[in-house]
PDB file of all heavy atoms in Angstrom:
ATOM      1  N   ALA A1115       4.529 -30.992  -0.271  1.00 77.00           N
ATOM      2  CA  ALA A1115       3.667 -29.940   0.354  1.00 77.00           C
ATOM      3  C   ALA A1115       4.167 -30.029   1.875  1.00 77.00           C
ATOM      4  O   ALA A1115       4.301 -28.854   2.556  1.00 77.00           O
ATOM      5  CB  ALA A1115       2.320 -30.108   0.180  1.00 77.00           C
ATOM      6  N   ALA A1151      19.014 -18.362  26.556  1.00 88.00           N
ATOM      7  CA  ALA A1151      20.439 -18.178  26.473  1.00 88.00           C
ATOM      8  C   ALA A1151      21.019 -17.991  24.988  1.00 88.00           C
ATOM      9  O   ALA A1151      20.386 -18.332  24.038  1.00 88.00           O
ATOM     10  CB  ALA A1151      21.198 -19.418  27.085  1.00 88.00           C
ATOM     11  N   ASN A1208       9.449  -3.643  32.700  1.00 89.00           N
ATOM     12  CA  ASN A1208       9.289  -2.695  33.664  1.00 89.00           C
ATOM     13  C   ASN A1208       9.342  -1.311  33.191  1.00 89.00           C
ATOM     14  O   ASN A1208       8.845  -0.365  33.796  1.00 89.00           O
ATOM     15  CB  ASN A1208      10.333  -2.958  34.829  1.00 89.00           C
ATOM     16  CG  ASN A1208      10.059  -4.293  35.519  1.00 89.00           C
ATOM     17  OD1 ASN A1208       9.016  -4.931  35.446  1.00 89.00           O
ATOM     18  ND2 ASN A1208      11.079  -4.644  36.310  1.00 89.00           N
ATOM     19  N   ILE A1227      23.102  17.590  41.030  1.00 88.00           N
ATOM     20  CA  ILE A1227      24.495  17.677  41.557  1.00 88.00           C
ATOM     21  C   ILE A1227      24.944  18.994  41.383  1.00 88.00           C
ATOM     22  O   ILE A1227      25.757  19.547  42.338  1.00 88.00           O
ATOM     23  CB  ILE A1227      25.388  16.541  40.839  1.00 88.00           C
ATOM     24  CG1 ILE A1227      24.948  15.223  41.384  1.00 88.00           C
ATOM     25  CG2 ILE A1227      26.832  16.874  41.094  1.00 88.00           C
ATOM     26  CD1 ILE A1227      25.372  14.956  42.848  1.00 88.00           C
ATOM     27  N   GLY A1246      28.613  10.269  43.789  1.00 87.00           N
ATOM     28  CA  GLY A1246      27.293  10.732  44.147  1.00 87.00           C
ATOM     29  C   GLY A1246      26.266  10.642  42.928  1.00 87.00           C
ATOM     30  O   GLY A1246      25.148  10.169  43.052  1.00 87.00           O
ATOM     31  N   LYS A1306      72.127  33.661  58.542  1.00 88.00           N
ATOM     32  CA  LYS A1306      73.475  32.985  58.207  1.00 88.00           C
ATOM     33  C   LYS A1306      74.591  33.989  58.244  1.00 88.00           C
ATOM     34  O   LYS A1306      75.747  33.823  58.688  1.00 88.00           O
ATOM     35  CB  LYS A1306      73.410  32.188  56.930  1.00 88.00           C
ATOM     36  CG  LYS A1306      72.442  31.051  56.970  1.00 88.00           C
ATOM     37  CD  LYS A1306      72.935  30.031  58.042  1.00 88.00           C
ATOM     38  CE  LYS A1306      72.025  28.853  58.122  1.00 88.00           C
ATOM     39  NZ  LYS A1306      72.442  27.852  59.210  1.00 88.00           N
ATOM     40  N   ALA A1355      99.051  56.006  62.486  1.00 73.00           N
ATOM     41  CA  ALA A1355     100.533  55.906  62.454  1.00 73.00           C
ATOM     42  C   ALA A1355     101.197  57.076  61.811  1.00 73.00           C
ATOM     43  O   ALA A1355     102.406  57.425  62.087  1.00 73.00           O
ATOM     44  CB  ALA A1355     100.776  54.570  61.978  1.00 73.00           C
ATOM     45  N   LEU A1364     106.767  68.746  64.888  1.00 51.00           N
ATOM     46  CA  LEU A1364     106.338  70.070  65.150  1.00 51.00           C
ATOM     47  C   LEU A1364     106.564  70.713  66.450  1.00 51.00           C
ATOM     48  O   LEU A1364     106.802  71.829  66.605  1.00 51.00           O
ATOM     49  CB  LEU A1364     104.878  70.489  64.712  1.00 51.00           C
ATOM     50  CG  LEU A1364     104.466  70.010  63.210  1.00 51.00           C
ATOM     51  CD1 LEU A1364     103.079  70.256  62.984  1.00 51.00           C
ATOM     52  CD2 LEU A1364     105.382  70.860  62.191  1.00 51.00           C
TER      53      LEU A1364
END
Side-chain angles (χ1 to χ4, degrees):
N1208 296 344
I1227 284 292
K1306 293 299 180 181
L1364 295 178

